[in-house]
Amino acid sequence: MQQILVIGYVWPEPNSSAAGSHMMSLLRLFKRQGWQVTFASPAQRTEHMVDLAEEDIASESIALNCSSFDAFISELQPDVVMFDRFMMEEQFGWRVEKNCPNALRILDTEDLQCLRNARREAVKKQRELMPQDLHSDLAKREIAAIYRCDLSLIISSYEMTLLAETFKVPSALLHHLPFMIEPKTTSQPRLGFNERQHFISIGNFRHAPNWDAVLVLSQIWPAIRKQCPDAQLHIYGSYPPPKATALNNPKAGFLVKGWADDAFAVMAKARVCLAPLRFGAGIKGKFIDAMQMGTPSVTTDIGAEGMTNSMPWPGLIANNDDELIAAAIALYQDEAFWQKAQDACQPLLEQVYDASELGKRLIARINALQAHLSEHRSANFTGAMLRHHSMKSTQYMSQWIEEKNKPKQ
């Protein structure tokens, strides 16, 4: 029986974020193989985290910059270690290699943070993204972590291309894995045009692209409301800050609802999902939820990026305020147009996000790597070089912090 250790940046909250849902899909996939799964994290446990014990998944709190992790992993001796985001690989990668050198090391990137950060800075400076924006210190850290691991899971087809063409990462180190959606969740009856009302926007408020989208919505909503006077905009998301709730304006139909107990339920009743994302990376869980509930959406090129494999978008794509306003109104008012968008949801889910097919490919890739791990690592000289140099500096910094934190005699 294989033992897999997942080192999480945070504890999984599938009802709070798409990253939490994606992580749970991976953990359940590993459990279905008959593997023993342990999830460990240095983060504080939260009230919204999933009950891992109910999933028959062991959980362990671990400490940063502490040799107690060495004792923990030496005893566990996992066959596979998966890092949740590159920061966890930076922190624990050298300890994993030291104590379990033969364990397969996987990096679950969630999305490319260097891409999201570069786009955010370009938006702040009110200019287009330039190639040099991508060559940041953050990118150097993130790409180095990809090279140091045996395999990195990349959620977006756009990011697969970016890594190959811009950063010249070998395809042998990458595996495209979008959200894995179970067929049972895509075959539910969906409400029709006349059974729905209002617009919806949803997303974790702690995620900067989501908060920026709320600010955009606050600016364009009056023009939409003028043409759709009976419509309301319902904004849902976990962890709403006071600056978000302050935007709540019932008289204008702009309602900041905050936490949704059941995201699918509120999405299923809405006629149109709005997400004017100006920056970001990866692929967006809100659109997967919308597709599953048959809710057409309006977003930007960045919002729809890497999600369709050239299939039709189930809604409209617009990239400036005037286009967003026109798209939202058209999709909300034109039943035939709306129905065409809804009809595009199911084929897209089946073609791109089939959990069964995606899961089989990932497990096959893991098995193949384990069978030829020595040869695979020999072919990745850059990764070996980075582990030799950068992990030494990370190791010594961590050990220095540990010594510094010890009580003085």
Side-chain angles (χ1 to χ4, degrees), residues 14-313:
N15 293 329
S16 299
S17 70
S21 296
H22 189 51
M23 175 57 70
M24 289 310 302
S25 294
L26 282 164
L27 297 178
R28 288 164 181 154
L29 172 65
F30 298 148
K31 284 298 299 181
R32 287 196 295 272
Q33 310 314 306
W35 298 355
Q36 290 184 332
V37 181
T38 301
F39 189 94
S41 178
Q44 286 190 329
R45 297 178 186 248
T46 68
E47 61 176 316
H48 298 304
M49 64 178 282
V50 73
D51 187 344
L52 292 171
E54 283 191 356
E55 304 272 349
D56 193 27
I57 295 169
S59 63
E60 189 79 24
S61 291
I62 53 178
L64 300 172
N65 304 306
C66 184
S67 56
S68 60
F69 179 83
D70 294 6
F72 160 68
I73 197 170
S74 293
E75 182 178 353
L76 189 67
Q77 281 298 312
D79 302 285
V80 180
V81 176
M82 187 173 82
F83 305 100
D84 172 28
R85 284 163 267 206
F86 79 91
M87 298 85 78
M88 293 297 94
E89 189 279 336
E90 284 185 331
Q91 175 66 219
F92 295 102
W94 68 272
R95 295 186 185 273
V96 170
E97 183 171 19
K98 173 186 171 185
N99 295 286
C100 306
N102 296 320
L104 182 73
R105 296 187 291 270
I106 300 174
L107 174 60
D108 179 24
T109 60
E110 295 293 352
D111 59 30
L112 287 183
Q113 297 192 30
C114 62
L115 174 61
R116 186 173 69 243
N117 190 66
R119 285 172 166 168
R120 183 180 186 182
E121 291 303 309
V123 167
K124 281 183 180 179
K125 295 173 182 175
Q126 299 183 328
R127 61 167 174 78
E128 294 293 315
L129 181 74
M130 295 185 289
Q132 58 265 36
D133 294 334
L134 292 169
H135 299 158
S136 62
D137 288 346
L138 185 65
K140 291 164 188 169
R141 291 171 57 195
E142 193 164 21
I143 304 305
I146 289 173
Y147 269 104
R148 285 193 297 264
C149 288
D150 300 308
L151 188 68
S152 290
L153 308 182
I154 310 301
I155 204 165
S156 162
S157 58
Y158 176 87
E159 291 177 5
M160 286 287 287
T161 302
L162 182 74
L163 288 168
E165 296 183 356
T166 300
F167 295 108
K168 311 303 180 186
V169 178
S171 60
L173 300 179
L174 305 176
H175 184 85
H176 181 215
L177 184 73
F179 294 123
M180 296 182 284
I181 307 303
E182 300 291 341
K184 64 181 180 182
T185 65
T186 67
S187 58
Q188 303 173 11
R190 291 151 177 175
L191 298 180
F193 181 85
N194 292 314
E195 298 171 287
R196 299 168 178 252
Q197 59 179 344
H198 306 316
F199 294 89
I200 187 173
S201 183
I202 191 165
N204 189 327
F205 282 95
R206 288 180 176 174
H207 192 52
N210 291 335
W211 169 239
D212 181 75
V214 171
L215 295 178
V216 173
L217 287 169
S218 70
Q219 296 166 4
I220 67 174
W221 176 247
I224 298 172
R225 170 83 164 188
K226 186 175 181 180
Q227 296 299 316
C228 307
D230 295 327
Q232 299 173 352
L233 172 57
H234 297 173
I235 299 175
Y236 291 93
S238 51
Y239 304 107
K243 63 183 179 182
T245 53
L247 294 174
N248 187 60
N249 187 346
K251 183 180 281 189
F254 193 91
L255 306 177
V256 181
K257 299 267 190 175
W259 180 270
D261 291 329
D262 186 338
F264 285 132
V266 295
M267 183 66 77
K269 297 174 184 175
R271 187 177 291 177
V272 175
C273 174
L274 298 179
L277 296 162
R278 298 195 298 167
F279 61 92
I283 60 177
K284 317 304 180 291
K286 57 176 66 65
F287 299 129
I288 297 295
D289 293 350
M291 288 180 223
Q292 289 183 81
M293 296 299 103
T295 306
S297 56
V298 174
T299 189
T300 59
D301 282 328
I302 284 177
E305 180 181 87
M307 292 198 70
T308 64
N309 286 9
S310 301
M311 295 180 71
W313 181 255

